[in-house]
Structures are given as structure tokens and as C-alpha cells.
Amino acid sequence: MSLPIARGWQTLARRHSQLSFQDAVTGGILCRHYATPVLSSGTGRLRKPPIHGQPLAETHAHLIAPHDLTPGIPKAEYEERRTRLMENLPDGSLVVCLGGHIKYMSQGAYKFRQSSDIWYLTGFQEPDAALVLEKASTRYGRPYKMTMFCSGKNAHREKWDGASDVVSIFQADEARDTSHFYSHLKGLLPLYNHYYLSPSPTAHLRRKPRSRSLIDYIAPTTSGTSLGLQEAYDTLIDGLSSNRVKDLGREMARWRALKSVHEQAVLRKAADLSAYAHTKTMRFANLRSNLPEASLAAHFEYLCVLGGAERMAYVPVVASGANALIIHYTSNDNLCQDGDLVLIDAGCEYNGYASDITRTYPVFPSGRFTPAQAELYTAVLNTLKHCTSLCTESSKLSLYDLHAESCRVLTKELNRIGFNLRERSASAGHSEVEQVLYPHFLSHSVGIDLHESFMNRSSPIQSGMVITVEPGVYVPPSTSFPKHFHNIGIRIEDEVLVQKDHAVVLSVDAPKEIADVEGACQGSLGLGPY
């Protein structure tokens, strides 16, 4: 028996059905969420070109609220992050964090993304930057001294109109040109006993020597050295004792895992935007036969960017039919054929935070699940719901515990519809479902990075964590499994905010009940493809 369409979707459908595409765009449904009304000076004109190297409240009031440093994150929160980090490091600690650099293609540059650690600690968005934090006395009014390094756009104009802007905007104690990084850091290293580095020292050991480009040789410097940030960093840490060097990312992982209320709000907006794109792509996938998988990927990305996303958080998986049996299928170069299910694992990055959502649904012509597809889908959905209900601090479960529970429930659900699977036991080790049908892990942490690093899967989950719950089943054409399920791959993935006694599904706006999914595919929810 089909399930009724959720009340929330009925309300959303009525609201959206009254709007044309142009109304939707100008009304803010597809547009970026503005922090404040689009007003600046008395003329009502925004300042162009901007006077700073990144959007700030004074120049981009439509994106950033007055007390925020980056969209949705207040300046005070960045200060709290640095203070918390430095207070928890031993005396005599030095933190060195490199920013990202622009990557080039043959005819231009790729869109820049700041390295996650320096973004988390400063909100600084410019390339070729570095951060140095020294654990110090209260001489600086806080338990550390902060020095930032940045470079100018060209020989005539610095990005920040002088170092004073970096000091005032990002609350640095000192700001210097990147050309001074080597000499400055060389002078500091003998003064400290513990070094916390990003990129990690292990990544440095694996890195091959980088061939220097012509630009490296001709770029002017004020200190007489032609060493770039990365080369200076590599040269200096080569001489450090390995037992005094620590991975900064590993140290910060415990803090990054627990999201502040501001981070939770930004993550919810990222999930909302991706969920909206998923919903409208369901309808788009049912417009005609033989749509290319790449077209669905492009449509999803178009909707995300139109809504204000900086980029996709990862390369989307758009796997139609038996392609869904490949977990990380990203070639997206086939056609969605009549009667296929299509598995789309896709999410955008919004204001520096990732989203990660997967939905599986029928394509043209009917937009309906076949009986076999519906049975298998329900088995996965029931597993998802059960595991989501356990994503609470009071459950005292770890990610490993949640995964084991997902295997137990999925095995039970699959046996109910005709499979004959053995369960996990101490003697047998992994269950049969893990070995073949469900070979990936249930969950990972989401935040600034799609997969937040160094999260301990054995520790109980805590309130404030944002994790995925993503059970799946991928049935190969084997005589070991019922034939009518062969070559069907289904994954359903939600983003879940862990709370003390309940779980909050951040991706709630992406349909997953069969009735809602079919309604989105057929257009009966009132949501069109655009």
C-alpha cells in the first residue's frame, strides 16, 4: 500500500505551484539566501570593485551580516576557535598553517578553494597565505600571538591595501608579506618545543619535489629570496625532529567534529539547497527517455549554483540501472533508459560547508517504482530510518556500533523479501550482506570537508556532530540472490545532526518516502524541473 504524501511536501508544493520560474528566481527560492536587504550607501549601489580581497559586510551586505566575518559565521567565533586550540596545546607550542594555492589549467586558473584548516581558524579566503600562532602569555591580551602572511595582487596594489587591513579585519597581531615567511619562521623555530603543522608532516614526506615554474623565478620578492611558501615550509620542517612535530589537523579534529549553532545553520542551508536540487532533478529525469546521466549531473549543479553554492562538494555520482552497482561511479557517460532507477549521490558546498545527500528513484516513462524496486527500496529505507533514530548522544553508540546495527537490520529486511543471508557472528566475522551487498561504511562526519578527517569511529557520537546515514544495497546478477532484484543498486543518504536525545535530519527536504519520490518524479508535488 502506498504511503500518503507528507504534509510538509503538500505545503511546499502549494507554495511553489503558485510561482513561475521567474518569480521563483527573483523571489529568493532559487536565489542565494541574503544576509540583509541589498542596501549599502545612500545611493543604493554596492561598492564595485570591492576594496578587500574577499566579501565583507561593508562591501557585500547582501551576503554577510554586520557581525559576521564569513557568511553565517561571526568574527567572534573564529577568535573562540583559535583560543580553544591554543589553550589546549602544551606550553612552548607553535602552530604553522599554510593556505591553499591557485591551481592552473592550460588556459587559466581553476576556481580557488582555501585549505580547510586555515579557513576554520581565520576565515581568510585569499590564496598563497600562511598563519602562525605562538602560544604566549597574556601580553597580547589572549593566550597566543597571531601572525598572518599574504601577498599582493601585483607590484602596484596589494589585495588588502596594506597590512593594517589584515590586522583589523582578521584580528591578527602582525601581518607580513609572504616573502618574509621563511626568515620569520626560521627565527621562531628554535624558540619552541612543539610544532603543530598543516599540511601534515606525513603529507610532506610523501610529496615529491615540485618543479618550479617560470612564474616562481620571475615573481618579485621584497626580501631577496625566491622561495615560495610551500618551498620555505618544506625546507624548514625538513630539519625538525620528528618527535616534536604534530599534525595540526589531527589536533583540531575533535573541535571541528562538534559544530557550533552557526555552523549547524550553514550546514542546514547547504543541505536545503542540495535537497531542493535533488527534488527538481527527480522531475527533470522524467521529462523524456534516454536522458544522459551527464545531463542530470549538470542540471543538479545548475540548480545549486543558481541558489548560491560556490561549487559542488564532490564529483556527483549519477548511476542509472546496473551502473549503480559501482559505488563511486562518476563517469556519468551513459543514458537513463526506460524503467531504470537512477542513483544520484550529489551535494553542493555552500559558504565553505559541504552537503552530502543520495537519492535513488525511477526515471521516464512512469516515474514509479516497479514492485521489485519498491521492495528493495523499502528495505533500505527502513534501515535508514532505524539507524537515524539511534543518532543521539544518549544512545552512547559509536559509528562502528551504528554500522553493525545497519548490517543487522538490512539483513533482516532483505531476508523478509526473499534473500537468504546469514547474520554477523563472532565465528563468521563480517555478515554476508557486508561482503557482497553492502560493502561500504554507514557513516562519516560532514563539515568544511566532505569527509571530516580523524574522526574516531570507536568513540560514542556526541551532540553537535553532523554525520551521514547512508545504507545501500547493490545486487549483482548472481544465483545466490533472487533474480528479480538482479542489477539493482539503491542507496539513500541523509545528513543528520546529533542531539542529546533526538536526531535532526538536515536533508529532510529531499523526498525519500516512496509516495513523495514518485510525486516529485511525476510532478504531482507542484515542483517543476526548473
Side-chain angles (χ1 to χ4, degrees):
M1 182 175 68
S2 63
L3 298 172
I5 294 176
R7 180 175 297 175
W9 272 106
Q10 291 175 325
T11 303
L12 187 63
R14 283 196 298 270
R15 178 161 61 89
H16 287 188
S17 63
Q18 299 169 5
L19 299 170
S20 67
F21 174 66
Q22 186 62 35
D23 290 334
V25 172
T26 57
I29 293 174
L30 293 180
C31 287
R32 189 180 189 91
H33 296 283
Y34 288 148
T36 59
V38 186
L39 297 174
S40 54
S41 63
T43 61
R45 301 287 295 179
L46 296 173
R47 181 176 292 184
K48 302 176 185 179
I51 59 172
H52 301 297
Q54 69 186 62
L56 297 172
E58 64 181 282
T59 58
H60 292 72
H62 57 298
L63 300 180
I64 303 177
H67 299 293
D68 289 350
L69 181 58
T70 60
I73 308 296
K75 181 182 291 188
E77 182 159 319
Y78 288 102
E79 173 65 29
E80 291 168 6
R81 293 173 182 179
R82 294 189 296 269
T83 298
R84 182 175 55 199
L85 169 67
M86 299 308 290
E87 286 180 340
N88 282 274
L89 295 183
D91 291 339
S93 290
L94 180 70
V95 169
V96 182
C97 185
L98 293 192
H101 61 274
I102 295 174
K103 297 179 180 179
Y104 291 92
M105 61 183 86
S106 59
Q107 298 298 322
Y110 290 100
K111 188 171 184 178
F112 174 71
R113 186 187 189 277
Q114 185 60 279
S115 66
S116 298
D117 287 337
I118 201 169
W119 168 262
Y120 180 79
L121 290 171
T122 67
F124 191 69
Q125 295 184 27
E126 288 297 300
D128 300 317
L131 169 71
V132 174
L133 300 175
E134 305 169 58
K135 184 151 187 176
S137 65
T138 55
R139 166 187 171 190
Y140 296 97
R142 52 190 179 183
Y144 65 90
K145 178 186 177 183
M146 175 179 173
T147 304
M148 291 185 66
F149 296 83
C150 60
S151 57
K153 285 182 178 178
N154 52 52
H156 304 289
R157 178 184 175 191
E158 290 191 351
K159 289 177 184 177
W160 295 98
D161 293 334
S164 59
D165 274 339
V166 179
V167 170
S168 61
I169 294 170
F170 295 94
Q171 299 178 303
D173 297 297
E174 187 178 357
R176 308 190 71 178
D177 187 88
T178 54
S179 60
H180 297 287
F181 178 71
Y182 178 84
S183 59
H184 183 87
L185 189 57
K186 185 177 180 180
L188 286 180
L189 290 177
L191 306 179
Y192 293 90
N193 300 315
H194 308 283
Y195 310 111
Y196 293 85
L197 308 178
S198 177
S200 71
T202 53
H204 161 72
L205 293 175
R206 293 193 303 267
R207 188 183 303 117
K208 295 179 180 179
R210 182 174 69 91
S211 59
R212 299 176 68 194
S213 69
L214 177 62
I215 293 177
D216 290 328
Y217 286 101
I218 65 175
T221 62
T222 59
S223 66
T225 177
S226 58
L227 284 180
L229 280 174
Q230 187 68 62
E231 284 183 286
Y233 178 84
D234 291 346
T235 301
L236 289 168
I237 70 173
D238 270 341
L240 299 179
S241 173
S242 60
N243 62 355
R244 298 168 66 186
V245 173
K246 304 292 191 301
D247 188 336
L248 176 63
R250 187 177 294 276
E251 182 64 29
M252 292 203 305
R254 53 178 166 156
W255 311 120
R256 284 180 54 179
L258 302 176
K259 307 302 188 290
S260 70
V261 292
H262 298 105
E263 289 180 296
Q264 292 171 21
V266 175
L267 282 162
R268 176 57 192 267
K269 287 184 178 181
D272 284 346
L273 186 54
S274 294
Y276 190 72
H278 271 288
T279 308
K280 296 181 90 57
T281 303
M282 289 179 186
R283 182 61 186 136
F284 181 79
N286 280 272
L287 292 181
R288 62 178 177 84
S289 62
N290 295 323
L291 272 173
E293 293 166 339
S295 294
L296 272 62
H299 190 70
F300 185 96
E301 183 172 359
Y302 156 76
L303 291 168
C304 289
V305 174
L306 188 65
E310 287 90 355
R311 58 182 63 82
M312 300 302 291
Y314 52 98
V315 178
V317 172
V318 182
S320 61
N323 289 339
L325 273 60
I326 304 171
I327 308 299
H328 287 160
Y329 173 86
T330 56
S331 54
N332 304 336
D333 59 3
N334 219 309
L335 301 178
C336 300
Q337 297 182 303
D338 295 359
D340 276 350
L341 291 180
V342 62
L343 184 159
I344 299 187
D345 185 340
C348 69
E349 184 177 300
Y350 180 79
N351 291 347
Y353 286 79
S355 58
D356 190 2
I357 304 172
T358 304
R359 292 295 184 261
T360 307
Y361 47 88
V363 299
F364 188 90
S366 68
R368 291 186 180 277
F369 292 92
T370 67
Q373 291 169 349
E375 278 191 307
L376 202 58
Y377 185 93
T378 300
V380 177
L381 181 62
N382 288 345
T383 304
L384 172 82
K385 290 178 176 179
H386 174 77
C387 292
T388 300
S389 70
L390 300 176
C391 292
T392 65
E393 183 175 309
S394 59
S395 74
K396 300 182 179 179
L397 297 176
S398 68
L399 294 187
Y400 277 127
D401 296 330
L402 289 170
H403 179 72
E405 185 67 5
S406 73
C407 294
R408 185 191 70 80
V409 174
L410 185 57
T411 297
K412 180 180 178 181
E413 288 287 332
L414 293 177
N415 286 340
R416 181 180 57 79
I417 60 176
F419 287 76
N420 184 22
L421 305 170
R422 68 175 185 274
E423 296 187 11
R424 174 189 288 205
S425 66
S427 59
H430 288 312
S431 65
E432 192 173 2
V433 72
E434 291 174 274
Q435 293 174 339
V436 180
L437 297 174
Y438 172 38
H440 59 77
F441 202 70
L442 174 73
S443 182
H444 62 83
S445 178
V446 182
I448 294 174
D449 291 323
L450 176 69
H451 289 246
E452 296 274 56
S453 302
F454 307 118
M455 184 172 180
N456 189 340
R457 291 179 172 183
S458 301
S459 299
I461 56 177
Q462 297 175 264
S463 179
M465 289 181 171
V466 174
I467 61 176
T468 63
V469 179
E470 48 181 309
V473 62
Y474 316 88
V475 187
S478 167
T479 55
S480 301
F481 310 118
K483 186 174 181 180
H484 52 291
F485 297 128
H486 286 182
N487 289 323
I488 299 177
I490 294 171
R491 182 164 66 253
I492 313 172
E493 177 183 18
D494 274 330
E495 287 180 59
V496 178
L497 169 62
V498 178
Q499 299 283 266
K500 188 176 187 306
D501 296 310
H502 68 283
V504 178
V505 179
L506 300 182
S507 51
V508 64
D509 282 349
K512 60 177 178 282
E513 298 290 346
I514 285 181
D516 290 339
V517 170
E518 291 182 342
C521 290
Q522 297 165 17
S524 60
L525 294 183
L527 296 174
Y530 300 97

